[in-house]
Amino acid sequence: MKIARFSHNDAIRYGILDDGELVVLAGDPMFAGFETTGERVPLGDVALLAPVIPRSKIVCVGRNYRAHAAELGNDVPTTPLIFLKPNTSVIGPGDAIVRPPQSQDTQWEGELAVVIGRIAKNVPAANAMEYVFGYTVANDVTARDLQNSDGQWARAKGFDTFCPLGPAIETEFDVASGEVITRLNGEERQRGAFADMVFDIPFLIEYISAAFTLLPGDVILTGTPEGVGPFRAGDTVEVEVPGIGILRNVARDAA
Ligand code: ZN
């Protein structure tokens, strides 16, 4: 089942994607379940929004693919390398990624995003999947020059518009056989299999929930494969996870 959040007739609503239409839900399915209103809206009549606005945090995993760690000259971590993005960095499909004037090297990172559905604290890996609401596509946009010069990553990873999410949440996704593909202006730049993650999702949920309480609507970005690179104003960055969808955003410079 694919869940979208959308704007239609000046209202923000949730729906289940079904054959080019949205079956409108009565509320946020994470809290209100899957009760429908009986309405159907053509997909072409709505603006899709980020399918989730994280209530408290976006937890990200750095260097979770060996080839990506190597391309930036880093060792593969022996425990997950965790950082946070603020929820104010989230934008939806079709929104502009704004390149800030503080950076000369703004880069894409195509990633699988895990959407948490239940309060999770000290969850063992064996039970971790019970806490997952579904999966969506993310771009962990990064000011690479500031990541290096700041040391701490909060600013480099946390500018407004630096967390595109969408286009929908797939609740029944098979991670083991999945992959993420990133295209710059239609040309493939990244392709990575989720089976190549250094730390898998159950282990990440155990590790992260041992530190932070995860709340419904929190999001985990699971790391990017090799092939990161810079984009400029006017470029189209597309991150695709087959089975979930294509997250497409155009970049512009700050006004
Ligand atoms: Zn990343």
Side-chain angles (χ1 to χ4, degrees), residues 60-63 68 83 85 109-111 139-142 144 157 221-224:
C60 307
V61 185
R63 301 171 191 159
H68 169 65
F83 60 96
K85 286 167 96 83
E109 292 190 0
E111 308 196 6
N139 188 347
D140 176 21
V141 178
T142 302
R144 194 71 66 200
K157 298 275 194 175
L221 268 50
T222 54
T224 198

Side-chain angles (χ1 to χ4, degrees), residues 4 6-9 11 13-25 37-48:
F6 62 94
S7 165
H8 181 243
N9 292 342
R13 312 178 78 179
Y14 294 82
I16 300 169
L17 282 166
D18 180 36
D19 200 22
E21 294 186 317
L22 286 153
V23 177
V24 179
L25 293 170
T37 65
E39 291 168 87
R40 296 177 70 98
V41 182
L43 200 48
D45 289 357
V46 312
L48 289 180

